[in-house]
Amino acid sequence: MVPLLEDGERVVIESEAIVRYIALERSLQRDAAQLLPVEGRAYIERFIRLWTDTVESRYYSVLTARNEKTARFCTAGLVDALVQVENLLWEPRLEWG
C-alpha cells in the first residue's frame, strides 16, 4: 500500500514526499510553527536522503532474506549503512553557525 495525500487538485504519493509537502506548505503559512528549519536544511536533506536511499532498503533486505546466510550478508550491509548515518551525525555542521 502506498500512502496518498490529496490537497485540492494536487495529489502527493509516498511517505517521504507527503512529509516534505506538509513541511514546505506549512513553512509558507504566516505564524505557523515551522516543521523544517531553514538553517541546517542542507544537512537535514543529506540525512533524509541517506536514510531513505540506503538504510531503509538495506533494512528491508534483512527482513525479506530467504535464509540465514542471506540475512547475515544483508545485516552486514545494514550495519554499514548505520555506520554512515553515525558518521553523518558526528560531522560538524558549519552552516548551522
Side-chain angles (χ1 to χ4, degrees):
M1 298 173 85
V2 177
L4 177 135
L5 172 73
E6 289 185 67
D7 184 15
E9 303 252 339
R10 186 170 200 154
V11 175
V12 184
I13 60 171
E14 297 292 345
S15 299
E16 180 186 348
I18 291 170
V19 170
R20 284 178 190 279
Y21 176 78
I22 291 170
L24 292 174
E25 282 298 309
R26 181 128 180 141
S27 70
L28 299 175
Q29 297 173 4
R30 185 185 303 238
D31 300 326
Q34 298 302 299
L35 302 176
L36 186 60
V38 174
E39 62 266 349
R41 191 169 282 182
Y43 174 80
I44 293 167
E45 289 296 326
R46 284 179 54 211
F47 177 87
I48 292 169
R49 186 65 42 219
L50 176 61
W51 191 269
T52 57
D53 291 351
T54 307
V55 176
E56 286 182 1
S57 62
R58 292 183 185 183
Y59 177 66
Y60 184 74
S61 69
V62 172
L63 293 178
T64 59
R66 301 234 181 241
N67 56 53
E68 185 176 343
K69 182 179 179 182
T70 303
R72 288 181 186 273
F73 177 80
C74 294
T75 299
L78 175 59
V79 169
D80 177 62
L82 292 173
V83 167
Q84 292 177 50
V85 169
E86 184 175 23
N87 290 338
L88 179 60
L89 292 174
W90 282 104
E91 186 176 293
R93 292 178 292 280
L94 301 176
E95 72 269 19
W96 284 32

